[in-house]
Amino acid sequence: MSRPINTIGIMSYVYLEHSAEEMAADIASRNISIVQADPRQKGLLDANGKYHSKRAKEVRKIFADQRISIPVLSGYMNLLDPILERREHNLTTMEEMIKLCPEFGAPYIATETGSFHPENQWRYHPENDTEKAWDALLAIIERLRKTAVDNGVTLLLEGYVTNVLNTPEKAERLINELGSEGLGFVMDPFNLMKLEDLDQQEAALDKIFSAIIPFSPIAHAKDAIYTEKGLSTPCAGTGKAKWDQYALRLSKQAPAIPLFLEHLKPEEIENCIKYIQKSYDFVSI
């Protein structure tokens, strides 16, 4: 007999061309009741293209009317942009969104850490692995965490192989140096899979879970594959990830945390959920 799967949620990015009302209605029709939402997304902005407290309450009600809650906001941006004016703009924007979390009913906000690459936050830059970058990251996280704690919110970091936070070891170091008050991680092992890890996934997953799962209140559902452009993280079931191994670890180590679908289109949701459910068939009670 297989274990029950983690509760399935979905990222608002799946519905880029939809209004809040359309998004909520379609999500509800699929019996999904939790969303990780980005306040900056076109369909969630007001008529003037703005996000603010009043609009946050409106969006929350639109989803609540469909019995959907928004436990997590998406605040993804380059926290370590090497152009300091752009970096400060990003940090100020993040602080604004943290303050909006209570209006959405969201106790969490998630972001990546970013890269020192001047043109693309998803590209690697040698400075990412320096102590200078680490010190900058610590100072930025301390700043954002203070705002988070002041507003009853937990800041969740999502690692990525080309970012400053790019290994489970760095995640451990971050918690060791800063503590976990108002700070945690998104369990997204696909982002941390180096090319060689795809050939030894069980060991890689063990290392990632050991470092991150004690501080992860949410998880993401996608996949991992390497192309000539580097790591790609497509819809679950379309890459090289051993989903049965991911399901095994989630069910045993974090059965209560939600699993948010991402990197797919609305018409792919049904098949994606079926694939994930099948992955749990290998997990015995």
Side-chain angles (χ1 to χ4, degrees):
M1 185 175 180
S2 62
R3 290 176 181 266
I5 72 170
N6 293 70
T7 299
I8 296 291
I10 198 163
M11 304 275 278
S12 65
Y13 300 136
V14 175
Y15 295 89
L16 285 177
E17 303 303 320
H18 293 68
S19 68
E21 290 82 359
E22 292 168 339
M23 194 185 310
D26 190 79
I27 292 170
S29 74
R30 302 174 187 280
N31 296 314
I32 294 174
S33 62
I34 49 174
V35 173
Q36 179 175 331
D38 191 331
R40 302 162 295 179
Q41 189 171 322
K42 181 180 177 181
L44 301 183
L45 298 171
D46 70 10
N48 296 313
K50 304 292 184 181
Y51 62 88
H52 44 71
S53 177
K54 180 175 181 291
R55 181 56 180 166
K57 293 175 183 176
E58 291 171 350
V59 170
R60 181 179 182 178
K61 184 178 186 306
I62 289 168
F63 281 83
D65 286 346
Q66 297 283 358
R67 298 184 180 180
I68 299 169
S69 63
I70 304 172
V72 193
L73 293 191
S74 294
Y76 296 97
M77 63 187 72
N78 192 355
L79 302 183
L80 289 159
D81 194 309
I83 308 302
L84 295 184
E85 288 184 8
R86 294 193 314 216
R87 182 189 296 181
E88 182 59 30
H89 172 76
N90 289 348
L91 296 179
T92 300
T93 300
M94 176 61 78
E95 288 170 330
E96 291 173 352
M97 287 196 288
I98 290 171
K99 293 174 183 178
L100 281 181
C101 282
E103 309 291 1
F104 280 97
Y108 305 108
I109 186 167
T111 181
E112 78 272 12
T113 56
S115 171
F116 275 82
H117 194 284
E119 299 173 0
N120 189 325
Q121 67 197 63
W122 302 110
R123 288 186 185 175
Y124 179 72
H125 190 279
E127 194 164 337
N128 290 356
D129 287 319
T130 65
E131 285 300 307
K132 175 184 175 182
W134 186 254
D135 290 343
L137 175 63
L138 291 182
I140 286 166
I141 298 307
E142 281 282 41
R143 170 180 167 178
L144 295 178
R145 178 175 57 179
K146 182 181 185 306
T147 302
V149 171
D150 288 347
N151 287 274
V153 176
T154 298
L155 176 69
L156 304 182
L157 302 179
E158 187 171 337
Y160 194 74
V161 290
T162 57
N163 280 187
V164 174
L165 183 64
N166 56 6
T167 67
E169 289 83 4
K170 283 188 176 181
E172 284 186 312
R173 180 182 176 186
L174 190 70
I175 291 296
N176 287 338
E177 294 188 18
L178 295 182
S180 60
E181 182 186 13
L183 181 61
F185 301 108
V186 176
M187 172 45 70
D188 193 333
F190 316 99
N191 282 357
L192 294 172
M193 287 284 180
K194 298 178 181 178
L195 179 59
E196 58 269 26
D197 290 331
L198 293 182
D199 293 325
Q200 47 188 8
Q201 287 187 46
E202 293 186 34
L205 284 168
D206 284 343
K207 184 181 296 185
I208 293 167
F209 266 74
S210 176
I212 293 176
I213 202 62
F215 312 101
S216 298
I218 71 168
H220 281 173
K222 56 190 180 193
D223 217 302
I225 190 170
Y226 272 83
T227 69
E228 66 278 359
K229 295 182 179 180
L231 176 63
S232 177
T233 54
C235 173
T238 61
K240 299 290 187 180
K242 292 184 177 179
W243 251 88
D244 59 328
Q245 293 298 318
Y246 185 39
L248 174 65
R249 285 158 180 78
L250 283 175
S251 65
K252 289 190 173 181
Q253 298 183 44
I257 71 173
L259 185 59
F260 291 90
L261 306 177
E262 61 174 324
H263 295 183
L264 72 166
K265 300 175 182 178
E267 59 268 26
E268 298 172 318
I269 293 172
E270 183 178 354
N271 285 338
C272 184
I273 291 176
K274 287 180 179 178
Y275 174 80
I276 291 172
Q277 290 173 332
K278 188 175 181 180
S279 299
Y280 280 77
D281 288 344
F282 297 93
V283 182
S284 60
I285 294 178

